[in-house]
């Protein structure tokens, strides 16, 4: 087989493949996802900004791209790496192939890669920076490009909305302000389904501006990157806590924890996929969850913050949820709204509205 593209990792390893989608060269962080389905939701999830996603499932693209299934207006990953891509989808709903979508969005794809070996490498060594480039690029040239490319710290700014917008529902009971750090569309749909009118605001909206909208509750969304890169949101949540019920998901979970005084740290290779078991320590119930994050809340820094740990990851015991009963604030690291994905945790949206009713 004639390969025309390759990956150069910052540790000097190389993986060859065949290009599809966009043809651009990119430097980004390489991560893997263990989902068997949901590649359209993955490529339209803003949390993957500045990352190259390796799909561990070997066949990707077999049901095409469906216009109704996007999770945001953005095609967010810097690259997609698969074992085999299907260019002839079998699905009456599909309007484009995955390759066509990536080409339109200028996102390079590489197929034919030994993804089993690559995923094991990421698992064993950790997430690293990678260059997606032509097969003709030498290793020395590639490593020099990686070294000279700065690591971005403005991912949330790039994916957040730039002005507030509204998503209303019939017969609403509650008014919720959602802070957009890279929010997935199904989060808004789930809030609407639970009788919430939602006002979505940019990530850097101040506490005073949010309170001026007279919300019954505040939601903080998922998003990309290091939570310490968005001190604006941390400061806003610090001022909001105790004044209105707060619900955070993924990056929102990390930001809420930081606002209370806890710390975060970067995981070796993160959690990504729709098959992560999480235990609710209050009930003992195990939920299968969908996840996408590189950072976690340090359990050793939670004591004395006013938060308690509500959920833990069964696989590695990392913190998956925190709660302040006094302030009616809580957050989870996983995605209860995941579409497609496990639906075990949908009741968390009902819990949010229950806190709002209690605050009234």
């Amino acid at each position: 087989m004639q390969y025309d593209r390759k990956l150069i990792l910052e540790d000097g390893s190389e993986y060859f493949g065949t290009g599809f989608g966009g043809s651009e060269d990119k430097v980004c962080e390489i991560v893997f996802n263990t989902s068997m389905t949901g590649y359209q939701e993955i490529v339209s999830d803003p949390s993957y900004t500045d990352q190259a996603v390796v799909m561990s499932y070997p066949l990707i693209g077999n049901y095409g791209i469906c216009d109704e299934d996007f999770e945001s207006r953005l095609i967010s990953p810097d690259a997609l790496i698969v074992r085999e891509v299907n260019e002839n989808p079998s699905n009456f709903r599909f309007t484009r192939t995955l390759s066509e979508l990536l080409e339109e969005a200028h996102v390079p794809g590489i197929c034919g890669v030994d993804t089993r070996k690559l995923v094991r490498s990421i698992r064993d060594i950790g997430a690293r920076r990678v260059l997606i480039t032509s097969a003709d690029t030498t290793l020395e040239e590639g490593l020099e490009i990686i070294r000279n490319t700065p690591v971005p710290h403005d991912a949330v700014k790039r994916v957040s909305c730039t002005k507030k917008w509204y998503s209303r529902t019939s017969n609403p009971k509650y008014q919720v302000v959602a802070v957009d750090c890279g929010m997935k569309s199904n989060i808004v749909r789930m809030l609407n389904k639970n009788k919430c009118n939602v006002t979505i605001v940019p990530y850097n909206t101040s506490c005073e501006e949010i309170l001026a909208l007279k919300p019954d509750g505040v939601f903080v969304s998922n998003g990309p990157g290091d939570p310490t890169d968005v001190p604006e949101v941390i400061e806003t949540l610090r001022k909001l806590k105790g004044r209105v019920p707060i619900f955070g998901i993924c990056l929102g979970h990390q930001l809420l924890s930081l606002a209370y005084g806890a710390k975060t740290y970067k995981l070796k290779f993160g959690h990504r996929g729709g098959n992560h078991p999480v235990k609710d320590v209050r009930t003992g119930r195990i939920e299968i969850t969908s996840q996408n994050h590189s950072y976690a809340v340090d359990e050793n820094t939670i004591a004395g913050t006013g938060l308690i740990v509500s959920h833990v990851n069964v696989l590695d015991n990392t913190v998956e949820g925190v709660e302040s009963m006094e302030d009616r604030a809580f957050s989870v690291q996983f995605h209860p709204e995941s579409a497609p994905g496990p639906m075990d945790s949908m009741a968390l949206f009902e819990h949010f509205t229950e806190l709002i009713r209690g605050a009234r």
Side-chain angles (χ1 to χ4, degrees), residues 80-233:
L80 187 68
I81 303 155
V82 304
R83 177 63 182 173
E84 180 181 351
V85 63
N86 188 324
E87 300 281 17
N88 297 290
S90 177
N91 179 3
F92 75 96
R93 295 176 63 234
F94 100 93
T95 56
R96 282 171 285 181
T97 67
L98 175 60
S99 182
E100 289 167 344
L101 175 70
L102 296 184
E103 183 178 9
E104 292 171 10
H106 305 289
V107 173
I110 302 181
C111 63
V113 174
D114 186 347
T115 51
R116 289 185 300 176
K117 179 180 179 181
L118 183 52
V119 167
R120 285 198 300 269
S121 171
I122 298 169
R123 181 196 64 192
D124 295 342
I125 302 175
R128 283 154 286 163
R129 302 191 81 200
V130 63
L131 169 67
I132 297 91
T133 186
S134 166
D136 297 330
T137 304
T138 68
L139 177 60
E140 292 73 21
E141 290 172 338
L143 292 175
E144 184 67 17
I145 292 171
I146 293 173
R147 283 193 293 267
N148 291 333
T149 303
V151 176
H153 293 280
D154 61 344
V156 169
K157 180 180 179 180
R158 284 182 277 131
V159 300
S160 177
C161 61
T162 56
K163 61 180 181 180
K164 69 174 181 286
W165 58 281
Y166 306 92
S167 180
R168 297 187 173 95
T169 188
S170 59
N171 301 313
K173 294 182 179 179
Y174 317 107
Q175 305 294 326
V176 169
V177 170
V179 180
D180 179 10
C181 299
M183 186 159 51
K184 295 166 66 178
S185 299
N186 206 42
I187 290 174
V188 179
R189 289 192 288 266
M190 289 304 302
L191 289 168
N192 286 159
K193 185 177 179 180
N194 282 272
K195 297 300 180 182
C196 298
N197 275 346
V198 185
T199 303
I200 299 90
V201 299
Y203 78 101
N204 55 356
T205 304
S206 69
C207 169
E208 293 73 22
E209 291 172 300
I210 290 174
L211 292 177
L213 297 170
K214 297 183 173 15
D216 297 312
V218 171
F219 175 84
V220 194
S221 83
N222 63 294
D226 185 339
T228 60
D229 286 342
V230 277
E232 304 94 331
V233 185

